[in-house]
Amino acid sequence: MAAAGWYHRDISQVVAEELLAKAGRDGSFLVRDSESVKGAYALCLLFQKHVYTYRILPDDEGLLSVQTIQGIQAKCFRTLPDLIGAYQHPNNGLVTPLLHPVHRQKPAEASDGEDARGWGHMVPCAGTAPSSRTHIPQQLHQRLQEQVHSSPASDFMGFMAEYLTHHVQDLEALCQGHPQLRHLSTALATACRALHSEIDFTLAGLETLARVFDAPVSPHSPAREQGFLSSDPDLELLLNKISTVNHLLSSLEKKVLKSLQEMVSRHNLALPSVAVPPLPAARPLAVQNFEVKVGKSQHAALTVDVESGTVTIAKRGSGSPEEVIPQDKILQLIKYQSVQSKVRLVCARENQKNLSRDFIFPSARKREAFCQLLQLMKIQHSNLDEPEIISVYVGTWNMGSTPPPRSLASWLTSRGLGRAQDETTACIPHDIYVIGTQENSLGDREWVEFLCASLKTLMAIDYRVVALQCLWSIKIVVLVKPEHQRRISHVHTSSVKTGIANTLGNKGAVGVSFLFNGTSFGFVNCHLASGSEKTHRRNQNYSDILHSLALGDKCLAGFDLTLRFTHLFWFGDLNYRLDMDVQDILTHIVKKEFQALLAVDQLNLEREKNKVFLQFSEGDISFPPTYRYERGTRDTYVWQKSKPTGMRINVPSWCDRILWKSHPETHMVCNSYGCTDDIVTSDHSPVFATFEVGVTSQFVPKEAPGSSPEALACIEWESIEVMLKTTSHSKCYIEFHSYCLEEMQRSGENTFQNCDIPGFLKLGWSSKHLPVLNPILPDLEYLGDQHLLLSVKGVESCESFGECCLALRSAIGTTAQQFETFLFHRGQETGSVRGWMRVRVPRGQCGTRERLYEWISFEEEDAEPAAEPPMCPK
């Protein structure tokens, strides 16, 4: 193996074009991994200011060949350097020979070594260049020295330094096909020599304890017969010992329990009976009262009884009787945006026009609590077989490698600072809880049991575990109500390491995805690089996670991760800091001038530059920075940290964040976003957010398929126009993916193309070259919930230039509707697409109904109420 400068591994097409544009010379080239074929490569070549991309494909025997123009005989090569060398000569089917290799950019050095990048990518080749043999040890020695200052294991580091001096011998053996790393094994075995005696001592004690509770065995265990007490520093022997200790520890508890149970039965001992309390039933919601103003000065009391499904209005001092409104008479709830505490209730009356009433609550929080209770009332009395709306709780907390307090009540009930839950709605159980933690020192099972027990105490519900995914101390747990367990399917988990050389899990991400009936969800919990100066590194962490996290439908693996799910939530210790002097930050915090701080928040600034989290949303931040507090209190920020290299400044920052992204024309409302103020075991405060999310059912047609002749629905295109940010002038085609299609569909090649604008490629398709798509079901209600994913791909490379998502709902009708949206690829904006489409639905399939979440709308103060509530308020 040897490092080849022109091999850039898994960079994106956008980055490849940027590097070639900087090179600027015809014949400049680089090689990257193919995004469309696993194990293949993409050769990117610059000629006359345009980038040409060729695929390098392996055959069944592993030989590599370039896909070139027709009529040129494909040549096969055993290694990538051999192939590149051959194509440096003319007349090989490329637009120009490979003349000027574009080398990788050297990684920026990390200040403390914590997040240093890898020391180069490797490609298959026959030998190692002499220059790299001297460069690599120097770079590794420098990195080791950075670690020695902060590590107590200086003796061990000495062994490793000796290995790095001679590690080229392993490198040469690897090139000759011997991957055993014999010299590394010898160095590790020598360094771990002292560990043998420690393990022998522990192992002897564990075996003695195990024999006390075990059946009689011979005096010498098999482990002793294998020579476990010898001083042989063999590494395999050490691993066997560790495995034996692990096995003994895991089996010892079972042996002791079995022995004690046998003792109880053998001696007829009576154990005191422990009364097991019955599982508590879900607590009914108490009747809630709200003091409100009606009109300019009239005061009234609103009483909400969710169980009986009524709202009672009692005006103070008027002498008029109470008015009771059943939930089925409440037609619409209108929230005013200009007055956050005001709401309008539209009610039906017998043989009369609808009645509208305005109420002003003491605070916006009280108004939200009232609206949530009415929404819950509608849900409970809807008599629907499947839910149309669910509540999702998302929490993130960097636990600071410290056990949690006995109670997490404030965190799990969204109470504290910021947009927190009102006490009247705090204990309403959510349908799904997703808890992400970083620097969590608890065991996986211990943490899950603690969360389930906490929720059972608070909500009187035994939540079910959907998934647990861990990467070192980064954990994500998904819990659902028992009645929803059958609705969860296609659960996937994944993790990505972004620590040292992207191989250590001290930084990285864990993710979970699943279907809730017909709605896809994705959740990502991450811990990004730390340090105020590491903004670029954090951006790179985000890009690596986006590219490498394997979640969702495998058929959509080629799409940007942010497009694979109806709803995607991304949260964690993102570690973005505030770019302001620490004393100025503290002054703004005391005055609660958060807007001035948010203006210099690195995450907000990077999002404005379209560097990270494109098209994501985040709730309004009205709580103080959640890092870095003095442990044991929330009154003091500790912004100085002593390190061997000197004093480090950690300014107070909103490191802990929750963001989300949803498909167009779906229902998603953030009801709370804040942090706790009473959990003080860590230097981070736990952060919470709750969401009201529209979901779709696993659709069942009203009539059995084939029971009657059924006309097909169809999706038709009048035209599509694409503008790509690229220096390529490749011909392209479009792929169409959707759960409503039996299989992926593909267009023909574009019929129009120009490069009039430098750096952009304009493409066009007429209706004749675009496929008519036939959904599997023609039902209007079904189609209104569906989306199309489009991917624009190059004809030569078959790689994506960009992807997008289109909603079918607004295109249903007899006339074509215009659409326009951005294209994305690997988290970057790569262009735009627009066109005209229509979704034709057969007659008789055009009836629909109002969704539960559509009866709540937003309106400005000066807007007049509608005489009749619209069917689908926006």
Side-chain angles (χ1 to χ4, degrees):
M1 301 281 283
W6 39 257
Y7 175 53
H8 292 246
R9 205 169 183 177
D10 62 349
I11 64 169
S12 67
Q13 181 167 288
V14 173
V15 174
E17 291 188 5
E18 289 175 353
L19 293 174
L20 290 170
K22 289 179 181 178
R25 293 191 292 177
D26 285 354
S28 297
F29 72 94
L30 60 83
V31 177
R32 59 181 175 84
D33 292 339
S34 170
E35 296 178 3
S36 57
V37 180
K38 190 174 182 179
Y41 304 94
L43 171 61
C44 302
L45 176 59
L46 183 68
F47 181 64
Q48 295 182 354
K49 298 184 179 181
H50 294 291
V51 174
Y52 295 80
T53 303
Y54 302 92
R55 283 202 294 183
I56 301 174
L57 300 174
D59 61 14
D60 294 338
E61 298 179 0
L63 299 179
L64 300 172
S65 61
V66 177
Q67 280 189 331
T68 57
I69 58 175
Q70 295 182 355
I72 301 295
Q73 180 66 37
K75 300 177 182 178
C76 296
F77 303 88
R78 292 200 172 275
T79 67
L80 202 50
D82 290 343
L83 183 149
I84 295 300
Y87 280 91
Q88 291 175 346
H89 304 288
N91 303 322
N92 275 316
L94 307 183
V95 291
T96 184
L98 306 180
L99 302 176
H100 312 292
V102 176
H103 294 280
R104 290 186 309 277
Q105 295 174 325
K106 292 183 179 180
E109 292 298 329
S111 60
D112 57 2
E114 177 189 9
D115 298 304
R117 297 288 283 173
W119 47 268
H121 305 307
M122 311 301 288
V123 297
C125 68
T128 304
S131 60
S132 67
R133 293 182 182 178
T134 56
H135 176 66
I136 293 173
Q138 292 173 358
Q139 197 174 34
L140 291 176
H141 269 293
Q142 181 182 356
R143 191 166 299 151
L144 185 68
Q145 287 301 317
E146 293 171 353
Q147 297 297 318
V148 168
H149 295 299
S150 58
S151 172
S154 56
D155 293 340
F156 189 90
M157 294 298 182
F159 288 112
M160 291 300 97
E162 179 67 19
Y163 169 70
L164 293 182
T165 304
H166 304 289
H167 88 291
V168 176
Q169 296 170 341
D170 274 346
L171 195 61
E172 291 175 342
L174 202 60
C175 290
Q176 297 169 9
H178 304 290
Q180 288 80 14
L181 303 181
R182 183 170 56 86
H183 294 277
L184 176 63
S185 298
T186 303
L188 287 176
T190 305
C192 296
R193 185 189 299 272
L195 192 57
H196 279 270
S197 59
E198 292 290 337
I199 290 183
D200 286 336
F201 177 80
T202 303
L203 193 58
L206 288 175
E207 287 181 337
T208 301
L209 183 59
R211 285 198 293 272
V212 171
F213 294 95
D214 212 345
V217 294
S218 59
H220 298 286
S221 67
R224 296 292 183 267
E225 293 172 4
Q226 291 174 13
F228 270 19
L229 290 176
S230 71
S231 59
D232 184 1
D234 181 72
L235 193 60
E236 185 175 355
L237 180 61
L238 180 64
L239 294 174
N240 287 335
K241 289 182 181 182
I242 294 173
S243 176
T244 304
V245 171
N246 180 49
H247 173 73
L248 276 172
L249 286 174
S250 61
S251 63
L252 196 54
E253 183 179 357
K254 296 178 181 178
K255 290 182 179 181
V256 174
L257 179 62
K258 181 180 178 182
S259 176
L260 293 178
Q261 287 173 339
E262 290 175 351
M263 190 179 298
V264 169
S265 60
R266 187 163 55 246
H267 295 280
N268 199 24
L269 298 176
L271 292 175
S273 59
V274 179
V276 179
L279 291 178
R283 296 169 184 162
L285 282 171
V287 176
Q288 301 293 343
N289 297 298
F290 298 88
E291 293 293 328
V292 296
K293 283 178 62 178
V294 184
K296 293 184 178 180
S297 58
Q298 179 75 54
H299 290 267
L302 292 181
T303 302
V304 181
D305 189 340
V306 173
E307 301 299 324
S308 66
T310 60
V311 175
T312 303
I313 306 174
K315 294 183 179 179
R316 303 292 191 195
S318 66
S320 57
E322 293 183 345
E323 181 182 358
V324 180
I325 306 174
Q327 60 85 23
D328 58 342
K329 297 297 183 182
I330 303 174
L331 302 180
Q332 194 173 13
L333 189 65
I334 302 173
K335 297 181 182 181
Y336 284 99
Q337 293 178 306
S338 55
V339 183
Q340 294 291 313
S341 59
K342 187 176 179 179
V343 71
R344 172 171 291 170
L345 214 59
V346 181
C347 305
R349 295 187 296 178
E350 293 293 335
N351 303 318
Q352 298 181 54
K353 286 186 177 181
N354 296 336
L355 178 65
S356 297
R357 292 187 178 177
D358 289 350
F359 302 102
I360 299 178
F361 290 78
S363 66
R365 182 178 294 185
K366 288 293 182 183
R367 184 190 80 168
E368 290 306 308
F370 174 77
C371 294
Q372 286 182 46
L373 288 170
L374 259 62
Q375 182 71 282
L376 187 63
M377 184 195 307
K378 283 282 189 181
I379 293 171
Q380 287 195 8
H381 295 272
S382 65
N383 298 319
L384 292 173
D385 294 331
E386 295 296 329
E388 291 183 342
I389 187 171
I390 62 173
S391 59
V392 177
Y393 170 96
V394 177
T396 177
W397 183 25
N398 184 320
M399 298 172 65
S401 301
T402 304
R406 296 180 62 183
S407 174
L408 297 177
S410 59
W411 188 31
L412 297 176
T413 57
S414 308
R415 286 182 291 176
L417 304 175
R419 192 181 175 194
Q421 289 282 14
D422 187 71
E423 64 271 11
T424 57
T425 56
C427 285
I428 296 176
H430 297 283
D431 297 288
I432 299 176
Y433 284 83
V434 184
I435 295 99
T437 52
Q438 311 83 39
E439 298 186 20
N440 185 340
S441 60
L442 268 63
D444 299 350
R445 180 179 175 183
E446 182 184 7
W447 175 238
V448 172
E449 290 177 347
F450 182 64
L451 288 175
C452 290
S454 299
L455 286 174
K456 185 176 178 180
T457 300
L458 293 167
M459 309 297 177
I461 295 175
D462 270 318
Y463 278 83
R464 302 290 190 260
V465 180
V466 172
L468 163 69
Q469 180 68 10
C470 305
L471 175 67
W472 291 22
S473 61
I474 308 171
K475 306 181 193 293
I476 184 171
V477 181
V478 179
L479 306 170
V480 299
K481 284 182 176 178
E483 61 264 31
H484 293 322
Q485 196 169 19
R486 64 178 179 82
R487 299 183 173 104
I488 302 290
S489 64
H490 299 79
V491 179
H492 297 283
T493 60
S494 181
S495 63
V496 175
K497 301 172 184 176
T498 62
I500 298 174
N502 281 359
T503 59
L504 294 186
N506 61 321
K507 297 292 190 290
V510 290
V512 174
S513 65
F514 55 83
L515 285 178
F516 185 100
N517 281 343
T519 302
S520 57
F521 284 87
F523 299 91
V524 179
N525 170 35
C526 69
H527 192 183
L528 306 185
S530 61
S532 294
E533 74 285 357
K534 301 250 188 80
T535 303
H536 177 73
R537 178 67 176 134
R538 284 186 280 276
N539 293 351
Q540 185 62 49
N541 288 165
Y542 168 78
S543 179
D544 291 341
I545 294 166
L546 199 67
H547 177 55
S548 304
L549 209 58
L551 294 174
D553 190 341
K554 291 182 179 179
C555 296
L556 303 178
F559 280 85
D560 192 287
L561 180 70
T562 65
L563 292 174
R564 295 181 208 167
F565 309 102
T566 314
H567 306 289
L568 173 64
F569 298 85
W570 195 306
F571 48 95
D573 183 356
L574 274 58
N575 251 324
Y576 287 93
R577 308 301 171 91
L578 297 178
D579 285 332
M580 184 183 285
D581 179 77
V582 64
Q583 294 300 333
D584 293 335
I585 292 174
L586 294 172
T587 301
H588 285 301
I589 292 174
V590 170
K591 296 180 179 180
K592 296 185 178 180
E593 296 172 343
F594 299 143
Q595 289 304 315
L597 298 179
L598 290 168
V600 295
D601 174 72
Q602 290 177 348
L603 178 58
N604 289 343
L605 295 173
E606 294 304 295
R607 290 178 63 197
E608 289 172 4
K609 298 174 189 174
N610 283 345
K611 296 289 184 67
V612 290
F613 293 103
L614 273 68
Q615 303 292 311
F616 274 77
S617 300
E618 183 181 17
D620 292 334
I621 294 179
S622 55
F623 50 93
T626 55
Y627 173 82
R628 180 177 186 251
Y629 281 107
E630 181 180 353
R631 296 175 190 252
T633 179
R634 293 297 90 152
D635 298 327
T636 307
Y637 287 98
V638 181
W639 47 272
Q640 289 181 315
K641 185 176 183 181
S642 179
K643 302 195 73 175
T645 54
M647 191 64 69
R648 185 180 182 87
I649 303 299
N650 288 307
V651 300
S653 299
W654 284 286
C655 292
D656 313 283
R657 311 288 274 268
I658 300 173
L659 301 96
W660 73 92
K661 182 179 180 182
S662 298
H663 279 350
E665 299 184 36
T666 56
H667 182 73
M668 167 72 76
V669 177
C670 179
N671 285 325
S672 66
Y673 189 31
C675 69
T676 65
D677 57 0
D678 61 349
I679 297 178
V680 296
T681 53
S682 171
D683 51 3
H684 291 252
S685 286
V687 173
F688 54 77
T690 59
F691 301 89
E692 179 185 284
V693 185
V695 293
T696 60
S697 61
Q698 296 282 13
F699 193 84
V700 178
K702 299 177 178 63
E703 297 182 7
S707 59
S708 61
E710 191 171 39
L712 295 175
C714 62
I715 303 169
E716 300 172 336
W717 312 88
E718 289 191 357
S719 64
I720 292 181
E721 183 180 284
V722 170
M723 181 70 78
L724 297 176
K725 296 179 181 178
T726 180
T727 53
S728 169
H729 61 191
S730 168
K731 285 274 191 177
C732 292
Y733 63 91
I734 303 175
E735 287 185 353
F736 301 87
H737 296 252
S738 177
Y739 287 120
C740 73
L741 302 176
E742 287 189 5
E743 58 185 4
M744 180 271 294
Q745 299 290 317
R746 174 176 165 170
S747 75
E749 294 182 11
N750 55 285
T751 53
F752 167 81
Q753 180 169 333
N754 75 49
C755 307
D756 295 342
I757 304 175
F760 288 86
L761 176 63
K762 189 174 183 180
L763 307 169
W765 285 261
S766 64
S767 59
K768 293 182 181 179
H769 294 82
L770 294 167
V772 175
L773 308 176
N774 295 118
I776 54 178
L777 292 173
D779 191 277
L780 177 63
E781 186 177 323
Y782 166 78
L783 292 174
D785 291 328
Q786 302 304 309
H787 294 81
L788 280 176
L789 294 181
L790 277 61
S791 177
V792 181
K793 293 190 171 184
V795 172
E796 292 90 354
S797 66
C798 297
E799 295 200 348
S800 176
F801 282 96
E803 307 95 44
C804 70
C805 177
L806 302 177
L808 296 189
R809 179 175 298 178
S810 57
I812 295 176
T814 56
T815 58
Q817 300 295 319
Q818 188 174 23
F819 64 88
E820 184 168 7
T821 187
F822 292 104
L823 292 169
F824 301 95
H825 187 62
R826 291 180 62 168
Q828 295 180 304
E829 182 188 318
T830 58
S832 62
V833 57
R834 64 180 181 180
W836 294 82
M837 65 179 290
R838 62 173 162 265
V839 181
R840 294 183 180 271
V841 180
R843 291 183 178 180
Q845 302 286 346
C846 294
T848 186
R849 58 184 174 80
E850 186 181 39
R851 300 302 175 97
L852 276 177
Y853 51 80
E854 291 176 336
W855 73 290
I856 297 181
S857 64
F858 292 89
E859 197 165 319
E860 294 296 337
E861 171 66 27
D862 56 356
E864 290 296 324
E868 296 293 335
M871 289 301 294
C872 298
K874 298 297 181 186

